[in-house]
Short mmCIF file of all heavy atoms in Angstrom, two decimals:
data_model
loop_
_atom_site.label_atom_id
_atom_site.label_comp_id
_atom_site.label_asym_id
_atom_site.label_seq_id
_atom_site.Cartn_x
_atom_site.Cartn_y
_atom_site.Cartn_z
N TYR A 419 -15.96 15.53 9.96
CA TYR A 419 -17.08 15.52 9.02
C TYR A 419 -18.38 15.28 9.77
O TYR A 419 -18.51 14.31 10.54
CB TYR A 419 -16.88 14.45 7.96
CG TYR A 419 -15.85 14.80 6.92
CD1 TYR A 419 -14.49 14.61 7.17
CD2 TYR A 419 -16.22 15.33 5.69
CE1 TYR A 419 -13.53 14.94 6.22
CE2 TYR A 419 -15.26 15.66 4.73
CZ TYR A 419 -13.93 15.47 5.01
OH TYR A 419 -12.98 15.80 4.07
N ASP A 420 -19.36 16.19 9.54
CA ASP A 420 -20.69 15.98 10.09
C ASP A 420 -21.67 15.52 9.01
O ASP A 420 -22.81 15.20 9.31
CB ASP A 420 -21.21 17.26 10.76
CG ASP A 420 -21.10 18.47 9.85
OD1 ASP A 420 -20.94 18.28 8.62
OD2 ASP A 420 -21.16 19.60 10.37
N HIS A 421 -21.24 15.51 7.76
CA HIS A 421 -22.04 14.97 6.67
C HIS A 421 -21.11 14.68 5.50
O HIS A 421 -20.00 15.21 5.45
CB HIS A 421 -23.13 15.96 6.23
CG HIS A 421 -22.59 17.18 5.55
ND1 HIS A 421 -22.04 18.25 6.25
CD2 HIS A 421 -22.48 17.49 4.23
CE1 HIS A 421 -21.65 19.17 5.40
NE2 HIS A 421 -21.89 18.74 4.16
N VAL A 422 -21.54 13.81 4.62
CA VAL A 422 -20.76 13.49 3.44
C VAL A 422 -21.68 13.50 2.22
O VAL A 422 -22.88 13.28 2.34
CB VAL A 422 -20.06 12.11 3.54
CG1 VAL A 422 -19.03 12.10 4.63
CG2 VAL A 422 -21.08 11.01 3.75
N VAL A 423 -21.09 13.77 1.08
CA VAL A 423 -21.79 13.72 -0.20
C VAL A 423 -21.09 12.66 -1.03
O VAL A 423 -19.91 12.80 -1.35
CB VAL A 423 -21.76 15.08 -0.92
CG1 VAL A 423 -22.51 14.99 -2.24
CG2 VAL A 423 -22.37 16.14 -0.04
N ARG A 424 -21.80 11.61 -1.36
CA ARG A 424 -21.19 10.49 -2.08
C ARG A 424 -21.38 10.66 -3.57
O ARG A 424 -22.44 11.05 -4.03
CB ARG A 424 -21.80 9.16 -1.63
CG ARG A 424 -21.55 8.83 -0.17
CD ARG A 424 -22.14 7.48 0.19
NE ARG A 424 -21.97 7.20 1.61
CZ ARG A 424 -20.90 6.64 2.14
NH1 ARG A 424 -19.90 6.28 1.34
NH2 ARG A 424 -20.81 6.42 3.43
N GLY A 425 -20.34 10.32 -4.31
CA GLY A 425 -20.42 10.33 -5.75
C GLY A 425 -20.16 11.71 -6.34
O GLY A 425 -20.05 12.72 -5.64
N ASP A 426 -20.08 11.73 -7.65
CA ASP A 426 -19.83 12.96 -8.39
C ASP A 426 -21.15 13.52 -8.86
O ASP A 426 -21.83 12.94 -9.70
CB ASP A 426 -18.91 12.67 -9.57
CG ASP A 426 -18.51 13.93 -10.32
OD1 ASP A 426 -18.98 15.01 -9.93
OD2 ASP A 426 -17.72 13.84 -11.27
N THR A 427 -21.54 14.68 -8.33
CA THR A 427 -22.83 15.28 -8.67
C THR A 427 -22.97 15.48 -10.16
O THR A 427 -23.98 15.13 -10.75
CB THR A 427 -22.97 16.63 -7.95
OG1 THR A 427 -22.96 16.41 -6.55
CG2 THR A 427 -24.26 17.31 -8.35
N HIS A 428 -21.96 16.01 -10.81
CA HIS A 428 -22.08 16.39 -12.20
C HIS A 428 -21.93 15.21 -13.14
O HIS A 428 -22.18 15.33 -14.32
CB HIS A 428 -21.05 17.46 -12.53
CG HIS A 428 -21.16 18.63 -11.61
ND1 HIS A 428 -22.23 19.49 -11.63
CD2 HIS A 428 -20.37 19.04 -10.59
CE1 HIS A 428 -22.07 20.41 -10.68
NE2 HIS A 428 -20.96 20.15 -10.04
N ALA A 429 -21.52 14.05 -12.60
CA ALA A 429 -21.47 12.87 -13.44
C ALA A 429 -22.82 12.19 -13.53
O ALA A 429 -23.03 11.32 -14.35
CB ALA A 429 -20.44 11.87 -12.89
N SER A 430 -23.76 12.57 -12.69
CA SER A 430 -25.06 11.93 -12.65
C SER A 430 -26.01 12.58 -13.64
O SER A 430 -27.09 13.06 -13.27
CB SER A 430 -25.64 11.99 -11.23
OG SER A 430 -24.75 11.38 -10.33
N GLY A 431 -25.63 12.63 -14.87
CA GLY A 431 -26.51 13.13 -15.91
C GLY A 431 -26.53 14.63 -16.03
O GLY A 431 -27.38 15.19 -16.70
N ILE A 432 -25.60 15.35 -15.42
CA ILE A 432 -25.59 16.81 -15.46
C ILE A 432 -24.33 17.25 -16.16
O ILE A 432 -23.23 16.88 -15.77
CB ILE A 432 -25.64 17.40 -14.05
CG1 ILE A 432 -26.84 16.85 -13.29
CG2 ILE A 432 -25.71 18.91 -14.12
CD1 ILE A 432 -26.90 17.33 -11.88
N SER A 433 -24.45 18.05 -17.16
CA SER A 433 -23.30 18.60 -17.86
C SER A 433 -23.42 20.12 -17.86
O SER A 433 -24.39 20.69 -17.38
CB SER A 433 -23.24 18.06 -19.29
OG SER A 433 -24.40 18.45 -20.01
N ASP A 434 -22.43 20.74 -18.43
CA ASP A 434 -22.42 22.20 -18.44
C ASP A 434 -23.64 22.75 -19.16
O ASP A 434 -24.22 23.75 -18.75
CB ASP A 434 -21.15 22.70 -19.13
CG ASP A 434 -19.90 22.40 -18.32
OD1 ASP A 434 -20.07 21.92 -17.19
OD2 ASP A 434 -18.80 22.63 -18.81
N GLY A 435 -24.04 22.07 -20.22
CA GLY A 435 -25.15 22.60 -20.99
C GLY A 435 -26.51 22.21 -20.47
O GLY A 435 -27.50 22.86 -20.77
N SER A 436 -26.59 21.11 -19.71
CA SER A 436 -27.89 20.62 -19.28
C SER A 436 -28.20 20.90 -17.82
O SER A 436 -29.29 20.64 -17.37
CB SER A 436 -27.97 19.10 -19.50
OG SER A 436 -27.01 18.43 -18.71
N ALA A 437 -27.23 21.37 -17.06
CA ALA A 437 -27.47 21.58 -15.65
C ALA A 437 -28.33 22.81 -15.43
O ALA A 437 -28.00 23.89 -15.89
CB ALA A 437 -26.13 21.76 -14.91
N PRO A 438 -29.47 22.67 -14.72
CA PRO A 438 -30.27 23.85 -14.39
C PRO A 438 -29.49 24.80 -13.51
O PRO A 438 -28.54 24.41 -12.84
CB PRO A 438 -31.47 23.24 -13.65
CG PRO A 438 -31.48 21.79 -14.01
CD PRO A 438 -30.05 21.42 -14.24
N TRP A 439 -29.93 26.06 -13.50
CA TRP A 439 -29.16 27.06 -12.75
C TRP A 439 -29.13 26.75 -11.28
O TRP A 439 -28.16 27.05 -10.59
CB TRP A 439 -29.75 28.45 -12.98
CG TRP A 439 -31.17 28.59 -12.54
CD1 TRP A 439 -32.28 28.48 -13.32
CD2 TRP A 439 -31.66 28.89 -11.23
NE1 TRP A 439 -33.41 28.67 -12.59
CE2 TRP A 439 -33.06 28.93 -11.30
CE3 TRP A 439 -31.04 29.11 -10.01
CZ2 TRP A 439 -33.86 29.18 -10.21
CZ3 TRP A 439 -31.84 29.37 -8.90
CH2 TRP A 439 -33.23 29.40 -9.01
N PHE A 440 -30.20 26.07 -10.75
CA PHE A 440 -30.18 25.84 -9.31
C PHE A 440 -29.12 24.81 -8.93
O PHE A 440 -28.57 24.83 -7.86
CB PHE A 440 -31.55 25.41 -8.80
CG PHE A 440 -32.14 24.20 -9.47
CD1 PHE A 440 -31.70 22.93 -9.17
CD2 PHE A 440 -33.15 24.35 -10.40
CE1 PHE A 440 -32.24 21.84 -9.79
CE2 PHE A 440 -33.72 23.25 -11.01
CZ PHE A 440 -33.25 21.98 -10.72
N ALA A 441 -28.81 23.86 -9.87
CA ALA A 441 -27.76 22.88 -9.58
C ALA A 441 -26.40 23.55 -9.56
O ALA A 441 -25.57 23.28 -8.70
CB ALA A 441 -27.78 21.76 -10.62
N VAL A 442 -26.14 24.40 -10.53
CA VAL A 442 -24.86 25.11 -10.60
C VAL A 442 -24.68 26.00 -9.39
O VAL A 442 -23.62 26.03 -8.77
CB VAL A 442 -24.79 25.92 -11.90
CG1 VAL A 442 -23.49 26.71 -11.95
CG2 VAL A 442 -24.90 25.00 -13.11
N ALA A 443 -25.73 26.70 -9.02
CA ALA A 443 -25.62 27.63 -7.90
C ALA A 443 -25.39 26.90 -6.60
O ALA A 443 -24.58 27.31 -5.79
CB ALA A 443 -26.89 28.48 -7.82
N GLU A 444 -26.09 25.77 -6.40
CA GLU A 444 -25.91 25.08 -5.14
C GLU A 444 -24.52 24.47 -5.04
O GLU A 444 -23.90 24.48 -3.99
CB GLU A 444 -26.96 23.99 -4.97
CG GLU A 444 -26.84 23.36 -3.58
CD GLU A 444 -27.73 22.15 -3.45
OE1 GLU A 444 -28.75 22.09 -4.13
OE2 GLU A 444 -27.39 21.28 -2.64
N HIS A 445 -24.03 23.96 -6.16
CA HIS A 445 -22.66 23.44 -6.14
C HIS A 445 -21.67 24.55 -5.81
O HIS A 445 -20.72 24.35 -5.06
CB HIS A 445 -22.33 22.82 -7.49
CG HIS A 445 -20.91 22.32 -7.57
ND1 HIS A 445 -20.53 21.12 -7.02
CD2 HIS A 445 -19.80 22.87 -8.11
CE1 HIS A 445 -19.24 20.93 -7.23
NE2 HIS A 445 -18.78 21.97 -7.89
N ASP A 446 -21.92 25.73 -6.33
CA ASP A 446 -21.02 26.85 -6.08
C ASP A 446 -21.04 27.26 -4.63
O ASP A 446 -20.05 27.70 -4.07
CB ASP A 446 -21.40 28.01 -6.98
CG ASP A 446 -20.28 29.03 -7.07
OD1 ASP A 446 -19.12 28.61 -7.08
OD2 ASP A 446 -20.59 30.22 -7.12
N LEU A 447 -22.20 27.13 -3.99
CA LEU A 447 -22.32 27.52 -2.59
C LEU A 447 -21.92 26.40 -1.64
O LEU A 447 -21.82 26.60 -0.45
CB LEU A 447 -23.76 27.92 -2.29
CG LEU A 447 -24.21 29.25 -2.90
CD1 LEU A 447 -25.68 29.47 -2.64
CD2 LEU A 447 -23.41 30.40 -2.34
N ASP A 448 -21.74 25.16 -2.20
CA ASP A 448 -21.35 24.03 -1.38
C ASP A 448 -22.34 23.82 -0.25
O ASP A 448 -21.98 23.77 0.93
CB ASP A 448 -19.95 24.22 -0.82
CG ASP A 448 -19.40 22.92 -0.25
OD1 ASP A 448 -19.87 21.85 -0.66
OD2 ASP A 448 -18.51 22.99 0.61
#
Side-chain angles (χ1 to χ4, degrees):
Y419 285 82
D420 51 17
H421 69 281
V422 295
V423 181
R424 297 182 184 273
D426 185 357
T427 298
H428 305 291
S430 302
I432 305 177
S433 62
D434 292 353
S436 63
W439 61 263
F440 56 77
V442 177
E444 185 188 333
H445 177 80
D446 197 37
L447 289 175
D448 194 23

